[in-house]
Amino acid sequence: MKIKEVTQLENFSGTVIVPVYETNPKNIVPIEFEEIVLSSKVFFGKKNSRYVVEKGNALYLFIGIGKTIDYSNLKTLFRSVSQKEESYFSQNVALYIPDAFNEDLVEAVVSGLLLGTYNLGHFKKKEAHSFLNSAFQLEIFSSKSYASVVNKSIKIARAQLEVLALVDLPPNTVTPHYLGLWAKEKGEKHGFEVKILGREAAKIEGLGAFLAVGQGSENEPQFIIMDYVPATKSDTFKHVGLVGKGVTFDTGGLNIKTAGMLHMKCDMAGAAAVLGTMQLISDLQLPIKVTAIVPCTENSVSGKSFLPSDVITSYSGNSIEIIDTDAEGRLILADGISYMLKNYKPEYLVDIATLTGSSVGTFGYECGALFTNNESIARQLQDAGNSIGERLWQLPLWDCYKQDIESDIADVKNYSGKPVAGAISAAKFLEFFTEEHTAWAHLDIAGVAFGDDEFAKSKHATAYGVHLLTKFIENI
Ligand code: BES
Ligand code: ZN
Ligand code: ZN
């Protein structure tokens, strides 16, 4: 998508998208735009209403946005316009920016339009959305210049489109190896370093908890380490560590899942959010150091699978009793966190994972579960999320929950064995490996990474986390 800024539409031929705030159905003053007069009887800007007028060589697509609209709803609305009204976009397209818009709303509209190009039919014969043609040019018709906002919006949407595809593609495509290649390719393109440990290298490093999960799989696990350093040198850059759960498919292992297995290709959505964040922060060249670890592996069933009651040795040296092989995410995250702390010592540490069904039971599909002992980080993450519609709500890490992970035979166990407080005990397990890091947060996104919406018939990816993590990092 190429962008051109214009201050008038004279001689424009093509489709003009015009967002319109709601007036009143009985308004006697009509909506006027470029000499087009719309009586309120036919269109008054009601949210999600649409009205098309042909004049000269142009089609004017009026989009009602209601009396007030926030970032998230505006973005979804324009994603829907771009996806559902594609037939209007075969030629030149101009986007009118109302004077009442601020930069955030411009970002929402432009990102939304680009996100609407996403098509779940990865394996169908299809034509790409016209916005994706390399020659496609979007004219921004506004009295002010929004060049940098529009550029940023496109980068955000591009990272989100990557994440949508990573999560929606099936597990026989998105293997740990595929994620490793993805990281290498994007690292080269956007300028971050990538190192990958396969099975042998991980064994030498002592990543025992990570390896246990993948030992039943034919697909080799990949422990992906990424490092972004801003191009301008400075000693004062803050340093953020990100860890994302990359289980490319979760069968449950020998504690095989009896429900919900069909959707378990989404169990690498935390990894995808971290990968997308690396793309986005390096594309935006944010002035902050970010190290990211995504342990990628498949939790599958074979004669080599790890067993319930096995005791394994993690990277930290702590032994772990396996109560349930379906509580695998916390095992790979434990090694990811320990590896990060020992080798990179970041000032801030955030992990993100589709970790527990319990978090879905608690919050449904409305928000992610947030765990941290650092109230200022809690606020920063929640603020970042609220501003873009990626909500988080905090749950406790009180000491009384520690007994849930106390084992008789090992330093710690991976599951309480009780069907209560599952998201909290999983977080307590992770906390055990954080070495009392004072700026750690854990995001359990099992309920928000994959879901139902107007954009497809079946459950699919949401790209939750990319924008949230990037905004958090940007504002830190
Ligand atoms: N991958 C699942 C959690 C999950 C549930 C992700 C729903 C996305 C949607 C995780 O590995 C898991 O199986 N958790 C178990 C843990 C239990 C066995 C201790 C759970 O939450 O039921
Ligand atoms: Zn599991
Ligand atoms: Zn899992």
Side-chain angles (χ1 to χ4, degrees), residues 245 247 250 257 264 267 326 328-329 354-355:
K245 172 179 173 182
V247 173
D250 183 11
K257 284 188 182 293
M264 283 303 135
D267 217 15
D326 199 10
E328 83 299 338
T354 48
L355 203 64

Side-chain angles (χ1 to χ4, degrees), residues 74-385:
L74 191 63
K75 186 167 172 180
T76 306
L77 203 162
F78 277 83
R79 179 176 175 187
S80 158
V81 166
S82 161
Q83 189 200 52
K84 297 188 177 111
E85 315 296 348
E86 198 198 336
S87 57
Y88 295 119
F89 304 133
S90 50
Q91 34 180 346
N92 296 334
V93 176
L95 169 68
Y96 170 67
I97 307 288
D99 287 340
F101 270 19
N102 59 21
E103 294 198 338
D104 283 345
L105 295 181
V106 176
E107 182 183 291
V109 171
V110 176
S111 289
L113 286 174
L114 196 50
L115 269 193
T117 65
Y118 183 66
N119 190 326
L120 213 54
H122 293 283
F123 295 89
K124 287 186 182 188
K125 286 188 211 80
K126 60 172 194 279
E127 270 185 35
H129 193 292
S130 41
F131 287 178
L132 298 177
N133 293 340
S134 52
F136 177 79
Q137 182 168 279
L138 180 69
E139 297 194 11
I140 306 286
F141 172 32
S142 163
S143 52
K144 275 190 258 170
S145 171
Y146 286 106
S148 67
V149 183
V150 170
N151 270 328
K152 182 174 179 188
S153 320
I154 292 173
K155 290 177 180 182
I156 294 168
R158 285 205 176 122
Q160 290 179 320
L161 287 169
E162 290 287 336
V163 173
L164 292 175
L166 285 177
V167 178
D168 282 329
L169 282 166
N172 58 342
T173 299
V174 179
T175 57
H177 182 67
Y178 183 99
L179 292 174
L181 285 180
W182 189 99
K184 284 234 149 110
E185 194 187 297
K186 301 298 176 193
E188 264 163 43
K189 183 165 172 200
H190 296 290
F192 57 87
E193 266 182 37
V194 180
K195 192 167 124 192
I196 299 178
L197 309 178
R199 225 181 223 128
E200 281 315 307
K203 210 174 273 174
I204 294 165
E205 288 288 335
L207 292 159
F210 167 66
L211 285 170
V213 174
Q215 78 193 30
S217 172
E218 290 292 325
N219 289 312
E220 188 184 1
Q222 306 274 284
F223 193 84
I224 306 172
I225 305 158
M226 292 161 282
D227 219 0
Y228 165 75
V229 182
T232 45
K233 296 275 164 274
S234 159
D235 294 334
T236 57
F237 288 135
K238 295 199 168 134
H239 184 194
V240 178
L242 301 176
V243 181
K245 172 179 173 182
V247 173
T248 56
F249 196 76
D250 183 11
T251 65
L254 286 168
N255 291 108
I256 196 159
K257 284 188 182 293
T258 50
M261 199 201 294
L262 176 64
H263 298 131
M264 283 303 135
K265 67 175 182 182
C266 80
D267 217 15
M268 37 61 72
V274 169
L275 290 166
T277 302
M278 289 308 282
Q279 163 171 331
L280 187 50
I281 53 142
S282 54
D283 201 8
L284 294 172
Q285 303 197 320
L286 295 188
I288 198 147
K289 275 172 67 169
V290 182
T291 307
I293 294 184
V294 282
C296 297
T297 190
E298 194 183 78
N299 187 19
S300 54
V301 181
S302 81
K304 291 188 189 150
S305 295
F306 70 140
L307 306 174
S309 82
D310 271 354
V311 175
I312 60 175
T313 305
S314 68
Y315 182 77
S316 65
N318 288 300
S319 55
I320 306 171
E321 180 185 10
I322 305 301
I323 301 296
D324 195 309
T325 60
D326 199 10
E328 83 299 338
R330 62 199 75 182
L331 299 173
I332 69 171
L333 289 176
D335 272 1
I337 288 170
S338 301
Y339 197 91
M340 178 72 84
L341 292 179
K342 180 164 178 215
N343 299 291
Y344 298 95
K345 302 183 178 44
E347 258 171 285
Y348 301 85
L349 176 62
V350 181
D351 76 75
I352 179 163
T354 48
L355 203 64
T356 66
S358 158
S359 74
V360 191
T362 306
F363 293 126
Y365 309 102
E366 306 308 329
C367 70
L370 163 67
F371 296 87
T372 179
N373 287 317
N374 181 316
E375 288 317 306
S376 102
I377 287 192
R379 208 170 335 102
Q380 283 168 299
L381 281 162
Q382 279 183 312
D383 287 350

Side-chain angles (χ1 to χ4, degrees), residues 21-31 38-46 67:
Y21 278 105
E22 181 173 336
T23 54
N24 187 322
K26 295 205 177 85
N27 206 338
I28 43 169
V29 185
I31 289 169
L38 297 181
S39 147
S40 64
K41 284 189 195 121
V42 295
F43 181 84
F44 62 96
K46 191 174 159 51
K67 288 207 162 83

